[in-house]
Amino acid sequence: MGEVQELPERSREVARALEALGARGRVRVLPASTRTAAEAAQALGCEVGAIANSLVFTADDKPLLVMTSGRHKVDVALLAERLGKTRIRRAKPEEVRAATGQAIGGVAPIGHPAPVETVVDPALADYPTLWAAGGTPNTIFPTDHAELLRITGGTETSVN
């Protein structure tokens, strides 16, 4: 428990959620920023595709969290069609914080004040180990595609 207390408050919330959900990975602090997928991959020495980007959108005026590979861009028109949404747009920074309690560049897939509809890109299954943000721009935790689907309650949907 001492390890969790050394984390920033937002990351402690994520660590508690991971533990409660029975996830294997633990949140860790990296000395360098992991705000972008490229920065995270460099800090971890892994391929950028193994970074599970947490991107927050607004879909028909409700938050939508999209977990996608760091090597992918989200095609919002295609995603809206696949999800039966009228319109999807990138959330503004204040909307991201309101929905997740976390800032852009550090949004974790869990640990939010209330459940957020989540989509998990099947391209993440290409990597045996994924790295997801831990609630701040320099915290991260390991997971895998199956666990990410389980802990987020997400829907597997291709995003491009």
Side-chain angles (χ1 to χ4, degrees), residues 7 9 28 32 52 58 71 85 106 111 119 122 124 126 129 156 160:
L7 294 171
E9 177 55 34
R28 59 184 78 165
T58 299
R71 65 185 162 96
K85 307 286 184 185
V119 168
L124 290 167
D126 292 348
T129 300
E156 187 171 54
N160 61 10

Side-chain angles (χ1 to χ4, degrees), residues 88-134:
I88 295 177
R89 66 166 174 82
R90 223 30 211 270
K92 296 174 186 162
E94 61 273 15
E95 293 171 321
V96 172
R97 191 173 291 277
T100 67
Q102 302 158 359
I104 292 173
V107 174
I110 58 170
H112 312 138
V116 176
E117 180 181 0
T118 302
V119 168
V120 178
D121 188 349
L124 290 167
D126 292 348
Y127 301 91
T129 300
L130 299 170
W131 296 93

Side-chain angles (χ1 to χ4, degrees), residues 53-57 64-68 72 74 90 107:
N53 272 349
S54 303
L55 305 173
V56 181
F57 294 86
L64 174 69
L65 177 62
V66 176
M67 299 300 303
T68 187
H72 282 176
V74 176
R90 223 30 211 270
V107 174

